[in-house]
Amino acid sequence: MTTSERSPRPVRSRTPSLGDAWLQAPCPVLVVDPAGTVVAANARATALFPGATGGTWLPDVVPDWLARAHRTVVAGGEGSPPGPVRGPHGPDILEAHATHGPDGTVVWWPSVVTDRSRARAALRSERERNAFLTDASTQLLASLNLERCMEATVRLAAEHLADAAVLVAPSPGKRHRLTLAAGDAVAHGSVRIDPATVPGLAEALRGFPPLPSRWIDPALLPGWALPDGFTGPVGSVAITPLPGPGFPAGALILLRRGDRAAFEEQFARVFASRAGAALSAARMYREQSEITTTLMAELLPPELRHVHGVEFAGGYRAAQDTDRVGGDFYEVHPGAGPQDETLAVLGDVCGKGLDAAVLTGKIRNTLHALLPMADDHQRVLTLLNGALLGSRHTRFASLVLASVRRRGDTTHLRLTCAGHPAPLIVRNDGTVHEARTRGTIVGVLPEVTSTTAEVELRPGESCLLFTDGVTEARGGPLGEVMFDDERLRAALCECAGMPAEAIVERVQLRVAEWLDDQPHDDIAVMAITAPHLPAPEGRGTSGKDVRPTV
């Protein structure tokens, strides 16, 4: 009699006292008696082994390796729990665990190993993808430099998504910037292209969803889209947009050789979205940086020089070491010719930082427009005061105007203060005295008043214009004592006969030593020096008393 002809064995009259809990198990469960008869099976076991119901013969409904394993478990008894057994079942691989039940029964817990392997592989792949995306985001956001971000995008894409990658930057015209990568080589270029000639490129540059890779014919790819390091025929092409906030950051072209599998396009889109965000941030930062640089060029103090035979030198230090501009400023407007006055301005806007710097720029521009009236300091201050009162700013400013003209050996100055510390005059004998000029601040009162002092400088003598950031700099042993006028005058006594640049450097050095890294206000100084006369004819130029000529 064959196995198939064997009559079913009678079912045991008593069901093992397992209760009904096993019937709710989320995996297949078979209960088999020692003789090999199936006592019971849950729905999952019946789905895995069709025909496995109570009373059926186990070898008739399960693979041979499982039937043999059952006999081995029964022979071993309850003293030694068996380990799992594994074998084929159709296209799958099963793993079955056995436990001893009541009345000598054996409970089998089979499971599909291939499903777990696929799940583990899928989990491992997902973890690798997440790790790559995390690392890619770190590298893409490591720098706000646009070129470096473009390089990182194509390098990561060529390494993990394709054999080569090309980034096409958006452009208002026909000429587009390209960044290409194949292997470790990354290159930049610029080429005149028509995106409409490449299937999917024009749409990607406008931020539309990408075309499926299978719709793009690799033969239609132009030569500029093939990096120099890319070898072998193109097997597949994917073009995906690099989305940005409100506008696309470009398009990414991915290339694979003919022997490679198709793209994981959904994963490529996830990478592209992160790259697009990083590129948009880098491009926005560059645009803001260019705007800031352009505006900053107008706000930074100018480099001073000799003007019509007179030395001008200036120095500036913002309240915060990280700032480049602030509320203190100076400016020199050269006269049209040697016989015309040169207007020098040094001022202090209430406050510090960027807000004060903006008003500083407004004042400088207004003074530039008022240059034709510079011969009348009171009129210039009145018009400037009106301009500030009519603006949206609520800040005020103090400043000093100096009109400078050289007449032969003498340099003539007209000095007018508007709520500002009076300039200090340094004579050749080392004496220092204050110019007799006073005035009210601008930008507060309807009218401003001022007095103008006229000063003559002999060769080697200087006039120092400064802001209160110099005299009010707090330092000393406890960091609470102001530098004050007396220390400034003492420093200037050492500067008799020095060039303008040396005087500015000496004052800045003394103030810096006094501060010793303490917090301070904006500091600005300007020196106006009548240069020494050339050495008399016939006198040697190696003597210690010889001064530089202008």
Side-chain angles (χ1 to χ4, degrees), residues 424-433 460 462 464 483 485-499 502-511 513 532 547:
L424 297 177
I425 310 302
V426 185
R427 299 301 183 183
N428 283 324
D429 59 0
T431 59
V432 178
H433 67 86
S462 300
L464 184 75
F483 189 72
D485 293 337
E486 293 302 320
R487 291 184 176 83
L488 177 58
R489 289 170 181 260
L492 290 175
C493 288
E494 306 170 356
C495 300
M498 286 186 176
I503 294 175
V504 170
E505 184 176 351
R506 177 67 62 89
V507 172
Q508 287 184 310
L509 178 61
R510 290 288 183 265
V511 175
E513 290 174 346
H532 289 275
R547 303 293 184 178

Side-chain angles (χ1 to χ4, degrees), residues 316-338:
Y316 175 77
R317 180 178 178 183
Q320 299 291 334
D321 291 337
T322 55
D323 292 341
R324 299 178 62 194
V325 296
D328 289 4
F329 67 95
Y330 55 79
E331 189 78 80
V332 172
H333 302 279

Side-chain angles (χ1 to χ4, degrees), residues 190-347:
S190 177
V191 63
R192 185 178 178 84
I193 64 175
D194 182 5
T197 61
V198 182
L201 180 57
E203 293 80 1
L205 287 172
R206 291 197 294 268
F208 294 151
L211 294 177
S213 175
R214 63 182 181 275
W215 290 7
I216 303 176
D217 185 0
L220 299 178
L221 203 65
W224 56 261
L226 300 176
D228 291 338
F230 182 77
T231 58
V234 181
S236 56
V237 180
I239 301 177
T240 182
L242 296 167
F247 56 90
L252 185 63
I253 302 176
L254 302 175
L255 310 176
R256 278 196 168 178
R257 302 186 188 93
D259 56 347
R260 295 289 301 274
F263 290 100
E264 297 184 39
E265 297 182 47
Q266 189 62 37
F267 183 55
R269 295 180 192 177
V270 176
F271 169 78
S273 65
R274 301 197 178 194
L279 287 166
S280 296
R283 182 171 286 110
M284 189 177 303
Y285 175 80
R286 187 180 71 173
E287 292 174 355
Q288 294 295 327
S289 179
E290 291 174 351
I291 294 173
T292 301
T293 300
T294 302
L295 296 177
M296 193 73 71
E298 297 298 323
L299 297 177
L300 289 174
E303 293 185 7
L304 303 186
R305 62 192 187 280
H306 288 63
V307 179
H308 300 323
V310 180
E311 293 181 10
F312 292 87
Y316 175 77
R317 180 178 178 183
Q320 299 291 334
D321 291 337
T322 55
D323 292 341
R324 299 178 62 194
V325 296
D328 289 4
F329 67 95
Y330 55 79
E331 189 78 80
V332 172
H333 302 279
Q339 302 304 316
D340 298 310
E341 288 184 326
T342 293
L343 180 65
V345 184
L346 182 139

